[in-house]
Amino acid sequence: MEEPIVVGLDVGSSKIVTLVARIENGTTMRVLGVGIEPSQGIRNGNVVDINAASDAIARSIEKAERTSGYEINSAIVSLAGAQVSSTNSKGIVGISGRVIDQEDVYRALDSAQAIAIPHNREIIHVIQRGFIIDGQEGIRQPIGMHGYRLEVETHIITASSSTIGNLRQCVAQAGIDVSDFVLNPLAAGEAVLTETERNLGVAIVDLGGGTTDIAIYVNGDIWYANVMQIGGNHVSSDIAQGLRLPLDVAEEVKIQHGHAVLDDIGGSESFNIVTFGSEQSTKIERRELVNIIEARVEEIMQMVEQEIKRSGYDVMLPAGIVLTGGGAEMPGMRKLAGKITGLPVRVGKPENIVGLTDQINNPACATSVGLLHWALLMTETHQIMPEQSGKDTKPQKAKAEGFLGWLRKILP
Ligand SMILES: Nc1ncnc2c1ncn2[C@@H]1O[C@H](COP(=O)(O)OP(=O)(O)OP(=O)(O)O)[C@@H](O)[C@H]1O
Ligand SMILES: [Mg+2]
């Protein structure tokens, strides 16, 4: 039996990542192909230049094809700056006393989607949280049970149609079909969070280049998600302005000497930089740099805190916050996040992957690895052709079952 091949495409504001993986024995994710390219034409998660973005996507895809030996025709694609909004909705259907089957669950989910959505928005996720049969709440798996009335509680996430349309066009121009969109923080959560954290209550915070994404998990399910259009690029441009440096130098200085907590930096620390066009090197006090960084990171963390409060689930997060994304690599970030939010914080990177992992075994690749997990959920529509044989790598549903077991019941 052939094992499913899945493809994830993370179109980030800083980098574009394409991953090809094989699901072995229904549980092991073996990464076969990696294509990481600097991003272009994407700002704060939104497409601002279709041709530039599409070229960068094509380069990333080609790299992944070359490393994996597979021809990529479709992928699960991450979605970020789409003015996301989410709402709770309940679906109800009659059963008339017989045994509930999959069809009834689909009907209930359909009915939950019958809500008024503005014409310029699209549903991207319908997340099922729990079922109620004849008034009895807290049912996790209704199939096989008897009842007269089946209710499903869902969380519906919508995004702006034009943002979705532009991203779809970029990807299509690179020769790839979007098999599904997955909201950035939901992908990152899938790659980074443990089962225990999700059950206890946790917020995943993905600190990207142009966006900061949040998803909140309670009782094992997603209860809230949002994307804020601020990120590490703002920190770099503050440094560029404050220290009067070109943006690329500011970015490098941030990565080499950056820190999020001013109190942790000694007064005597300094470094030298040589900027293009100038003869001699300039000495910079590290405290001056960190002062600039701290101010902006504090602002971002305050926005994270407000967003968590706004969700209404701030008191339901005993597992605290898991930071991921490139920004989570900044020293002191964990400490600052803890100080501002008052919650326990850890830094998370993608877990449970084998194969070509050295380039992606870091927080910045949480979203792309998470897309692979999502792709598996929808294996049937995510097939690609092996270049060598030209034979269809049809995924085996039965094999995917075990893996699906630990993935939450999320529908496309
Ligand atoms: N070691 C590091 N220290 C500080 N910041 C870092 C480090 N490594 C990466 N970053 C920052 O992380 C950001 C990029 O993160 P990431 O790769 O997760 O973004 P992205 O996924 O491309 O963007 P987005 O998700 O916002 O669309 C940049 O601002 C970069 O400067
Ligand atoms: Mg990202």
Side-chain angles (χ1 to χ4, degrees):
M1 284 208 291
E2 286 198 63
E3 290 169 310
I5 299 288
V6 290
V7 182
L9 170 62
D10 175 21
V11 184
S13 311
S14 297
K15 58 172 186 1
I16 294 174
V17 184
T18 306
L19 299 181
V20 180
R22 187 197 296 128
I23 313 300
E24 295 176 348
N25 306 316
T27 50
T28 308
M29 185 82 74
R30 179 172 299 279
V31 179
L32 306 174
V34 180
I36 304 181
E37 273 290 306
S39 184
Q40 262 162 19
I42 308 282
R43 191 173 303 147
N44 297 352
N46 287 311
V47 178
V48 292
D49 180 337
I50 289 199
N51 292 332
S54 165
D55 288 350
I57 291 170
R59 283 195 293 275
S60 157
I61 294 276
E62 199 201 310
K63 260 193 193 169
E65 286 185 329
R66 237 183 302 129
T67 41
S68 68
Y70 281 89
E71 184 189 330
I72 301 170
N73 301 314
S74 69
I76 293 266
V77 178
S78 66
L79 185 75
Q83 279 98 46
V84 176
S85 79
S86 57
T87 177
N88 295 329
S89 174
K90 203 184 250 189
I92 305 172
V93 288
I95 305 294
S96 68
R98 58 180 170 76
V99 172
I100 295 167
D101 59 21
Q102 184 66 60
E103 203 49 45
D104 298 318
V105 173
Y106 287 149
R107 279 197 301 130
L109 285 164
D110 258 359
S111 113
Q113 289 178 59
I115 53 168
I117 295 164
H119 70 280
N120 57 352
R121 303 191 71 76
E122 282 175 37
I123 292 181
I124 42 170
H125 293 288
V126 178
I127 298 155
Q128 67 189 52
R129 270 186 197 157
F131 294 88
I132 304 168
I133 300 176
D134 296 346
Q136 189 196 329
E137 291 188 17
I139 291 168
R140 311 286 295 179
Q141 179 49 276
I143 295 171
M145 298 176 90
H146 288 263
Y148 285 86
R149 179 187 154 101
L150 172 68
E151 296 170 60
V152 60
E153 286 180 289
T154 66
H155 189 59
I156 294 182
I157 299 177
T158 65
S160 135
S161 306
S162 51
T163 312
I164 294 175
N166 290 336
L167 186 53
R168 194 190 297 280
Q169 193 188 326
C170 278
V171 176
Q173 219 167 292
I176 305 297
D177 263 353
V178 177
S179 22
D180 265 297
F181 285 111
V182 175
L183 195 67
N184 250 16
L186 303 195
E190 211 56 65
V192 166
L193 299 175
T194 66
E195 198 71 44
T196 313
E197 283 168 336
R198 280 184 261 226
N199 286 332
L200 278 172
V202 69
I204 175 103
V205 176
D206 179 341
L207 301 163
T211 65
T212 296
D213 318 315
I214 299 187
I216 293 177
Y217 292 73
V218 177
N219 292 332
D221 294 321
I222 297 153
W223 284 55
Y224 186 80
N226 209 354
V227 173
M228 298 186 292
Q229 301 195 328
I230 189 167
N233 294 347
H234 295 81
V235 178
S236 304
S237 60
D238 288 354
I239 296 169
Q241 282 193 11
L243 301 180
R244 279 188 234 101
L245 299 172
L247 196 55
D248 55 332
V249 178
E251 172 75 20
E252 214 180 294
V253 162
K254 178 181 82 173
I255 290 177
Q256 282 203 359
H257 306 282
H259 200 288
V261 181
L262 185 61
D263 284 351
D264 287 3
I265 308 300
S268 59
E269 291 182 47
S270 66
F271 56 91
N272 291 309
I273 48 165
V274 187
T275 54
F276 181 75
S278 81
E279 309 275 282
Q280 76 256 45
S281 68
T282 323
K283 183 178 166 192
I284 294 178
E285 302 293 332
R286 197 169 174 215
R287 280 184 66 88
E288 199 185 340
L289 168 73
V290 174
N291 198 14
I292 297 170
I293 297 175
E294 190 190 56
R296 181 62 90 164
V297 173
E298 246 176 36
E299 185 200 353
I300 296 176
M301 283 307 161
Q302 274 156 2
M303 287 171 72
V304 165
E305 196 212 4
Q306 276 167 17
E307 196 55 33
I308 291 175
K309 284 231 165 78
R310 206 163 72 88
S311 76
Y313 303 116
D314 51 320
V315 292
M316 297 167 83
L317 305 174
I321 293 177
V322 177
L323 292 179
T324 194
E329 304 213 42
M330 169 150 328
M333 195 60 103
R334 196 182 70 82
K335 186 174 171 184
L336 188 79
K339 189 180 122 198
I340 289 180
T341 62
L343 290 165
V345 180
R346 79 169 173 98
V347 171
K349 60 186 175 88
E351 304 286 350
N352 305 321
I353 40 169
V354 298
L356 297 178
T357 58
D358 30 324
Q359 272 179 285
I360 57 172
N361 191 14
N362 53 62
C365 288
T367 300
S368 47
V369 172
L371 290 172
L372 297 174
H373 294 312
W374 275 84
L376 182 71
L377 275 169
M378 310 149 193
T379 35
E380 260 159 358
T381 45
H382 300 98
Q383 301 165 17
I384 56 172
M385 312 284 274
E387 220 159 31
Q388 304 89 340
S389 65
K391 213 165 109 238
D392 198 343
T393 57
K394 194 167 173 53
Q396 303 298 322
K397 190 115 201 270
K399 284 207 165 186
E401 295 295 358
F403 196 78
L404 287 176
W406 67 265
L407 286 162
R408 276 132 312 284
K409 318 139 300 302
I410 302 162
L411 288 178

